[in-house]
Amino acid sequence: RILFLVLFGILFTLVSAGFSHAFWGFWVRRIVGLKSRIVRADELAQTRQETVHSGRTALVFPVYNEEPQRVFAGIKAVYEDLNRCDPNHDVNIFILSDSNNPDNWVKEEMAWLQLCRQVNGFGRIFYRRRTKNINRKAGNIADFCTKWGGGYAYMITMDADSILGGHAILKLIGMMDRRPKAGIIQTAPRIFNGQSFVSRVQQFASRFYGPVFLAGLDWWQGEAGNYWGHNAIIRVEPFMEYCDLPDLPGKEPFGGKILSHDFVEAALMVKAGWEVFLAYDIEDSWEEGPPTVIDHAKRDRRWMQGNLQHTWILFARRIHNCNWVHLFMGVMGYLSSCIWFCFLLLSLWIAWLDKASGISLLPVDGWTGHWLKLDLKDHGLVLFGFTLFLLFSPKIFAILDIICCRRLKEFGGLIRALISSVIETIFFTLIAPVLMMFHSKFFFWLLAGRSVSWTTQNRDAEGTTWSEATQTHGGQTIAGLAFILVSYWLDESLFWWMLPINAGLVFSIPLSVISSSEKVGRWFAKLGFFHTPETTKPAQVLTEIEPDIHHFDSLRFIFPEAEHSGITAAVVDPYVNATHITLLKQPTASDQIEDCAENAELEDRLILNGPKSLNRTEALEILANPRSMQRLHRRVWARSSGKNTGWWRYHLEMYRTSEWMKKRSWITPGSPRRRGDG
């Protein structure tokens, strides 16, 4: 029972922390004002003319096997919006690819070329792909800083799905100019483009409740804020000097390379005397969210390992108290699920002990029993009511804040906003135990030494199939049924107490399938629920993304089938071949001698049997060698159609008769078509 009390105390403290964020956030927004600490200071600095212009800015997009069409459509929208806001801006864009999918590699190169031609971005928009993906995203950013960081005062880090409006970019640069000790300014990205039901609910919840929580966070962290890895501006020089990440003791999953690098980099920046701020009121900052419950869990698994690694950092010296709290809360954010699971198991065990012993509960004594006439069950109800107050009062604060700000129309009006809030509360009440089971399973996997792999996040609302849901949630359904039977056998009152938790587990399969449906999401949107400012009145930069997506899939004009289209186009098409070779690192004289012998067998196999004869590593090796690509292109075109194997004969004929040859529709009219141009 002492352990039961300890676990309850931990969980109750975490719930109280959420209440405190919302309470103080509401108080700050109503009393101090709606603007964040850094924005208020920046406006004061502007009146004093304290601006110090420091230099150029790099906007960096790390990419890892993402859908090139969506990535480059987003980059184009950001770049054009920036040009609209300031045609004379001094911002360069870097697409930093770590993609190890051969087709994605070639598609990214062609999409970059198309982007530069469409917006006249040569010399302003750059693409590079790393040969070795060392240390994941953190290593990708570190490689950029090492090679190009010296030419830039600031860098704005993005995710592949991140969007920043032009006004937001210029405002961030201005704040850094006027705040010489600012090392990082983090915006609060809003979720947009939610199509499935769960993504729409998450989009609504983050937008509706987020302002009061973020204001409370900004109030207590002050100048020792946190960094979330994207949609933030960073002063490059101190970042390069102080934020070189150490390797943790031991091996993965708890040691080795740090996965969640952003929290640690913020702590190191503050430790070195630089300021880290949260500019939560910069509106033009967005990101996309997972479209299904299963994708949400996959992302959480990666984040969980990264956050649990921070346990080592908690014992580091001279970490600022605020950063220590950030790291600790990041650890507890996932460990709390395991504590909750153990708390439920312990509750069942105690109930079994009470039933087996046959000992009745002692009467309650003390001032509550004497003056308030409360028995033991009443004590439980009072505690339960107080817990519900802590859980739901932040939602009340958020609703009052939205009403005071007169922004209810952006959320569909008062009635629809309230109904949306109720539906969201019910849905996440049912999903919470499902995520608890996921997190608990992940934690025990990590204890067993099972590290996570680096995977691409799914951002398309394709939906979860019944078979996938059954395979993923089957164990949770069985656990929910077992909890129901055991709790009813032990005590009928315990059965009713645990019913909301058990219901979520029992119905996890249909919940996962239905919530992943884009059709269900559109149906709720049609009724006017889960509206946000991004859906009622989207910014121009957001409306430009979707129409441009299909423009960045040039390879579909040559070879409609997706499989091996990248390497096939790089060998067959002279334009794609020349572009690819131009972007590769050119070999030295010694490299040319060595690669002839090493790649001859792979080249022969590719010519005779097509790309299907190569595995991913071999295909990447061929694509990374400019001499091999030149030789392959000549060999395919030099052989007559009768001498070419079926694969190349078929694709050469397809290339000759394709719309691509008749009109390269993606090339700007009047643009040069010389081999190697661009």
Side-chain angles (χ1 to χ4, degrees):
R1 295 182 189 275
I2 295 176
L3 178 60
F4 180 84
L5 182 62
V6 170
L7 295 181
F8 175 81
I10 295 173
L11 294 173
F12 193 81
T13 301
L14 294 175
V15 172
S16 302
F19 167 81
S20 299
H21 274 84
F23 173 78
W24 289 112
F26 179 77
W27 182 83
V28 167
R29 286 172 64 82
R30 294 299 103 216
I31 304 301
V32 180
L34 301 180
K35 296 178 181 178
S36 62
R37 183 189 304 262
I38 179 62
V39 170
R40 292 198 303 269
D42 180 65
E43 291 177 351
L44 183 61
Q46 289 185 62
T47 60
R48 296 175 179 175
Q49 297 181 345
E50 296 178 1
T51 303
V52 179
H53 295 286
S54 303
R56 296 192 299 168
T57 301
L59 191 61
V60 298
F61 288 84
V63 177
Y64 178 74
N65 291 334
E66 306 282 347
E67 182 182 318
Q69 301 96 296
R70 163 61 185 86
V71 173
F72 284 85
I75 294 173
K76 180 187 176 185
V78 170
Y79 188 75
E80 290 186 330
D81 195 58
L82 184 58
N83 285 338
R84 282 193 295 267
C85 296
D86 182 8
N88 300 315
H89 66 82
D90 199 10
V91 178
N92 291 342
I93 293 179
F94 286 81
I95 299 101
L96 309 176
S97 176
D98 263 348
S99 298
N100 58 8
N101 182 303
D103 293 329
N104 274 54
W105 180 1
V106 178
K107 288 179 181 179
E108 288 169 3
E109 293 175 332
M110 300 314 296
W112 166 80
L113 183 59
Q114 291 171 246
L115 173 63
C116 291
R117 286 191 178 280
Q118 290 176 14
V119 301
N120 193 25
F122 292 109
R124 304 294 298 272
I125 303 175
F126 305 94
Y127 171 87
R128 83 96 173 89
R129 176 188 172 273
R130 282 201 302 172
T131 304
K132 297 180 179 180
N133 304 338
I134 300 173
N135 202 16
R136 303 178 174 91
K137 181 181 176 180
N140 201 355
I141 297 295
D143 179 78
F144 164 79
C145 291
T146 301
K147 295 178 179 177
W148 295 282
Y152 296 90
Y154 316 127
M155 67 175 175
I156 299 177
T157 55
M158 308 286 282
D159 263 356
D161 64 338
S162 292
I163 299 294
L164 265 180
H167 287 295
I169 293 173
L170 297 175
K171 191 169 186 176
L172 288 171
I173 295 172
M175 286 194 290
M176 293 294 274
D177 285 341
R178 288 183 287 271
R179 192 84 178 193
K181 288 299 293 180
I184 300 175
I185 300 177
Q186 173 70 62
T187 67
R190 280 71 174 171
I191 300 176
F192 81 106
N193 197 32
Q195 301 299 324
S196 66
F197 174 77
V198 65
S199 58
R200 286 183 183 273
V201 172
Q202 188 178 16
Q203 178 175 298
F204 170 82
S206 65
R207 200 69 163 97
F208 197 69
Y209 309 129
V212 292
F213 281 96
L214 293 170
L217 178 64
D218 180 56
W219 174 77
W220 69 262
Q221 71 180 13
E223 300 171 358
N226 206 4
Y227 169 44
W228 301 334
H230 58 92
N231 291 49
I233 188 168
I234 299 174
R235 198 176 297 270
V236 175
E237 184 177 354
F239 184 83
M240 293 174 61
E241 183 175 356
Y242 299 111
C243 295
D244 186 20
L245 297 177
D247 286 349
L248 297 176
K251 299 180 180 180
E252 291 189 358
F254 294 105
K257 299 293 184 182
I258 297 176
L259 290 181
S260 296
H261 55 92
D262 38 17
F263 281 39
V264 181
E265 288 162 346
L268 293 174
M269 190 74 85
V270 174
K271 180 181 177 181
W274 293 86
E275 301 166 338
V276 178
F277 290 101
L278 172 62
Y280 62 82
D281 48 337
I282 292 183
E283 290 286 333
D284 299 342
S285 178
W286 300 277
E287 65 174 334
E288 294 182 3
T292 70
V293 173
I294 294 176
D295 287 309
H296 195 287
K298 289 178 181 177
R299 185 186 67 175
D300 279 357
R301 184 188 175 191
R302 183 176 68 252
W303 286 2
M304 183 178 190
Q305 178 177 334
N307 283 21
L308 291 180
Q309 285 181 321
H310 294 165
T311 307
W312 290 104
I313 312 298
L314 295 176
F315 299 98
R317 291 177 295 176
R318 298 193 300 276
I319 295 293
H320 193 280
N321 291 336
C322 290
N323 294 114
W324 192 93
V325 172
H326 282 304
L327 293 166
F328 177 76
M329 293 302 293
V331 173
M332 294 304 299
Y334 291 99
L335 202 57
S336 60
S337 293
C338 306
I339 296 174
W340 185 19
F341 180 65
C342 294
F343 179 79
L344 295 176
L345 293 179
L346 192 58
S347 300
L348 294 175
W349 186 37
I350 292 175
W352 177 79
L353 289 176
D354 290 343
K355 182 175 182 178
S357 65
I359 300 176
S360 61
L361 298 175
L362 295 175
V364 178
D365 197 5
W367 69 272
T368 55
H370 181 73
W371 295 103
L372 300 180
K373 306 300 181 183
L374 297 179
D375 60 17
L376 193 59
K377 289 186 177 180
D378 291 335
H379 266 262
L381 289 173
V382 169
L383 187 58
F384 178 69
F386 189 60
T387 303
L388 289 181
F389 170 76
L390 293 180
L391 283 172
F392 292 108
S393 57
K395 296 179 183 290
I396 298 174
F397 291 140
I399 293 171
L400 292 176
D401 181 72
I402 294 294
I403 293 174
C404 293
C405 294
R406 299 180 180 179
R407 300 188 63 179
L408 280 171
K409 287 185 178 180
E410 298 176 352
F411 297 92
L414 176 61
I415 301 302
R416 287 188 175 89
L418 291 177
I419 294 175
S420 298
S421 180
V422 171
I423 297 173
E424 174 270 331
T425 301
I426 295 173
F427 175 73
F428 278 115
T429 299
L430 295 173
I431 289 297
V434 176
L435 296 177
M436 172 198 69
M437 295 295 287
F438 273 129
H439 294 167
S440 300
K441 180 176 71 173
F442 297 158
F443 178 71
F444 290 117
W445 277 0
L446 292 174
L447 289 180
R450 295 179 60 175
S451 181
V452 301
S453 58
W454 192 21
T455 58
T456 304
Q457 179 176 315
N458 178 28
R459 297 184 172 94
D460 296 323
E462 298 173 352
T464 300
T465 63
W466 284 98
S467 59
E468 182 184 10
T470 302
Q471 183 179 3
T472 305
H473 300 286
Q476 298 169 356
T477 302
I478 294 173
L481 292 172
F483 280 146
I484 285 179
L485 293 175
V486 172
S487 60
Y488 188 79
W489 173 69
L490 290 173
D491 189 341
E492 186 176 348
S493 62
L494 181 63
F495 164 80
W496 291 108
W497 279 105
M498 294 187 64
L499 187 60
I501 298 172
N502 294 332
L505 295 176
V506 170
F507 295 105
S508 58
I509 294 175
L511 277 173
S512 184
V513 174
I514 295 171
S515 66
S516 70
S517 171
E518 187 175 338
K519 184 178 179 180
V520 175
R522 286 198 303 266
W523 184 77
F524 274 96
K526 187 177 180 180
L527 294 177
F529 299 125
F530 305 118
H531 279 322
T532 65
E534 284 70 35
T535 58
T536 55
K537 192 177 180 182
Q540 182 178 353
V541 65
L542 298 183
T543 62
E544 294 175 344
I545 298 174
E546 190 67 28
D548 273 335
I549 287 180
H550 72 281
H551 293 153
F552 288 98
D553 190 11
S554 59
L555 299 189
R556 81 184 191 279
F557 293 111
I558 321 175
F559 309 125
E561 63 269 22
E563 189 177 15
H564 307 300
S565 60
I567 190 171
T568 303
V571 172
V572 172
D573 186 281
Y575 206 87
V576 179
N577 181 265
T579 302
H580 177 72
I581 291 173
T582 301
L583 291 173
L584 291 176
K585 179 182 178 181
Q586 299 305 309
T588 61
S590 59
D591 292 334
Q592 295 181 34
I593 296 174
E594 293 176 0
D595 83 277
C596 289
E598 292 179 359
N599 288 347
E601 190 272 333
L602 295 179
E603 293 174 23
D604 291 340
R605 197 196 316 164
L606 181 61
I607 291 294
L608 292 174
N609 302 316
K612 293 182 179 179
S613 63
L614 303 181
N615 60 36
R616 174 175 289 194
T617 302
E618 293 170 337
L620 291 172
E621 186 176 344
I622 287 288
L623 283 171
N625 193 307
R627 301 304 178 196
S628 291
M629 295 305 299
Q630 287 176 338
R631 288 193 293 266
L632 288 167
H633 179 67
R634 293 194 189 101
R635 290 177 66 178
V636 167
W637 279 97
R639 297 162 68 95
S640 64
S641 297
K643 292 183 180 179
N644 268 314
T645 59
W647 178 274
W648 300 112
R649 185 166 58 250
Y650 171 77
H651 286 88
L652 279 170
E653 185 62 25
M654 182 182 291
Y655 177 76
R656 292 191 183 100
T657 59
S658 66
E659 290 297 318
W660 174 272
M661 283 292 291
K662 297 175 184 177
K663 56 171 185 178
R664 292 178 185 265
S665 58
W666 59 274
I667 301 180
T668 305
S671 62
R673 299 187 182 183
R674 298 188 306 273
R675 177 179 174 86
D677 179 66

